[in-house]
Amino acid sequence: MNQPLQQPVLVAGGGIGGLAAALACARAGLPVQLFERSAAFEEVGAGIQLGPNVTRLLQGWGLQTGLAEVSAYPENLVIRSADTGAELGRLRLGAQARARYGAPYATVHRADLQALLLQAVKGEAGVALGLGRAITGFEQGADRVILHHANGHQTPGALLVGADGLWSRVRQQLLGDGTPRLTGQQAYRALLPHADLPAALRCQDVVVWLGAGLHVVQYPVRSGDWLNVAALVEDRAQHQNPGDRSGWDHAALGADLQQLLKGAAPPLQALVQAMGGWRLWHLQVRHTVGRASQMAQGRVALLGDAAHPMLPYLAQGAGMAIEDAQALGQALATAGATPAALAQYAQARWQRNARVQKRSLRNAWVFHASGPTRWGRDLAMRALGERLLDVPWLYGGP
Ligand SMILES: Cc1cc2nc3c(=O)[nH]c(=O)nc-3n(C[C@H](O)[C@H](O)[C@H](O)COP(=O)(O)OP(=O)(O)OC[C@H]3O[C@@H](n4cnc5c(N)ncnc54)[C@H](O)[C@@H]3O)c2cc1C
């Protein structure tokens, strides 16, 4: 007798989290249907850092060769004072990260990471990808979930994974906890080929410049051929004039940033001046995950920024989405496409996500400190160096 056809796992959103989820579910042997509202799989033009906790999972999915073709593998993370340019601390990455954590510390263009995941997903027979398919909501029944699309269509599935980002429709319906909260912090970002930069500004390390109320981070992407720079600043005017803060991609004036960095160390000023085409993100967050039921209920789970948006001060938002996907795949492989699998997934993930969210928040305070706190931080960084900068509980996980 023929077995009844297995209902698919439905994935809402085709960002890094959604694609990683689709891959992990397919590798667990389940059919998958992914729906992305955009007409193409797109990522903003910016870099992303991937700790060894993340590259280890990508290796486990057999993506190490593809990753090596597009990544840079910086030798060091160097912390400098934004005011004087003096080195405050250094963490060796390169061979040390590989030896210590069994996987490299990589820096990569977001579009390259997304393309890598997309290629892997397309290599899976059981995955159907729907572009231009905005979802509007869902219904949960005892034995299935039905996804509603903006065009009026409905798709039944065994489970639904909401990987639809910070403004998640799935979250809105599942948790009903309102919109994300503005932080008053903005991220300027720019990318430039190294060849277009003066020789003195070319650099293959991750460098973090710490100033009062701001910090700047730079690192190579695209096999080291391009430099990615992000400047994170506290913007007190933002709450008075909120304007349109939705979406990830706003025009920015490099001159505004140069003004903010007037008086900074000359090499930092030169870097910001040399970069062009600045874009802006308005950073928004939600409360830290407080229990497993905030990540899954019945046949519906949340993943990535839909579940646990975080400030980028630990560079782990996409990393946690990829860890989520791995855990989801594991749970489905053992418990099948069932509510029990989603409960197992949520239980496995919520505390680690909450810890990373909290640490990212704390880092915002540490990175942007002024006065005696800043003085104490710099002293501790000089004295403790790698012991302070390494994060074994994070890089050694999940
Ligand atoms: C300045 C900055 C720097 C960062 N640096 C790092 C870093 O170095 N390392 C790191 O790991 N993380 C970093 N992050 C975090 C990282 O960018 C995010 O955590 C990650 O991109 C989240 O991926 P996601 O797939 O969950 O969500 P998203 O990337 O937001 O994807 C959601 C997808 O869902 C789609 N979608 C939305 N609504 C619908 C709908 N109704 N129907 C269908 N589709 C829908 C969207 O179009 C989108 O494609 C940084 C973030 C910022 C702001």
Side-chain angles (χ1 to χ4, degrees), residues 43-343:
E43 261 291 346
V44 290
I48 208 156
Q49 303 180 63
L50 300 174
N53 54 312
V54 187
T55 57
R56 192 182 315 109
L57 299 184
L58 297 176
Q59 284 177 356
W61 287 338
L63 303 183
Q64 64 274 28
T65 307
L67 186 67
E69 281 166 10
V70 293
S71 283
Y73 296 113
E75 287 297 324
N76 300 287
L77 164 69
V78 183
I79 311 287
R80 293 189 178 280
S81 158
D83 294 350
T84 65
E87 182 171 323
L88 302 173
R90 176 177 289 248
L91 173 65
R92 284 167 293 159
L93 302 173
Q96 170 158 300
R98 288 176 201 265
R100 187 148 198 215
Y101 298 114
Y105 194 102
T107 52
V108 60
H109 192 294
R110 283 164 184 265
D112 293 341
L113 177 60
Q114 193 184 38
L116 184 66
L117 291 167
L118 181 60
Q119 193 188 14
V121 165
K122 284 182 169 169
E124 297 294 325
V127 183
L129 300 172
L131 286 169
R133 300 290 302 274
I135 63 100
T136 53
F138 62 86
E139 279 167 61
Q140 280 210 63
D143 58 356
R144 65 179 186 165
V145 60
I146 295 173
L147 191 57
H148 294 237
H149 301 270
N151 62 6
H153 290 173
Q154 298 184 353
T155 310
L159 304 173
L160 168 63
V161 180
D164 47 345
L166 183 60
W167 296 274
S168 167
R169 292 297 288 257
V170 178
R171 179 184 183 117
Q172 206 175 72
Q173 188 175 337
L174 192 71
L175 305 184
D177 60 350
T179 52
R181 171 169 55 86
L182 283 166
T183 59
Q185 301 184 27
Q186 296 180 321
Y188 291 76
R189 62 174 199 273
L191 275 167
L192 209 64
H194 266 116
D196 292 351
L197 285 166
L201 295 178
R202 295 177 197 161
C203 181
Q204 294 292 331
D205 282 334
V206 181
V207 183
V208 183
W209 306 78
L210 300 183
L214 62 84
H215 79 280
V216 179
V217 54
Q218 62 174 84
Y219 51 84
V221 295
R222 304 222 134 136
S223 310
D225 293 342
W226 286 62
L227 185 69
N228 177 78
V229 179
L232 292 106
V233 303
E234 308 206 357
D235 170 21
R236 289 165 206 88
Q238 190 185 115
H239 292 289
Q240 288 145 28
N241 179 25
D244 174 20
R245 304 299 183 189
S246 62
W248 271 144
D249 207 15
H250 297 264
L253 287 177
D256 290 349
L257 188 57
Q258 283 172 34
Q259 181 64 25
L260 280 165
L261 288 167
K262 220 169 61 180
L268 178 55
Q269 290 200 51
L271 176 69
V272 167
Q273 208 163 358
M275 305 293 294
W278 289 96
R279 305 289 297 170
L280 200 61
W281 270 302
H282 302 283
L283 300 185
Q284 302 182 37
V285 290
R286 291 181 179 277
H287 289 301
T288 301
V289 182
R291 53 190 179 278
S293 63
Q294 289 176 340
M295 287 197 60
Q297 291 177 21
R299 294 184 173 272
V300 181
L302 300 173
L303 180 145
D305 275 9
H308 43 70
M310 56 185 75
L311 287 174
Y313 298 114
L314 204 51
Q316 284 281 342
M320 290 303 108
I322 290 169
E323 285 194 6
D324 285 349
Q326 162 77 10
L328 180 66
Q330 263 173 6
L332 295 178
T334 52
T338 58
L342 294 191

Side-chain angles (χ1 to χ4, degrees), residues 79-84 86-89 210 366-367 369 371-385 388:
I79 311 287
R80 293 189 178 280
S81 158
D83 294 350
T84 65
E87 182 171 323
L88 302 173
L210 300 183
V366 173
F367 283 18
T373 312
R374 182 178 185 186
W375 183 83
R377 176 201 69 199
D378 292 356
L379 197 68
M381 220 173 266
R382 284 198 167 101
L384 298 171
L388 197 70

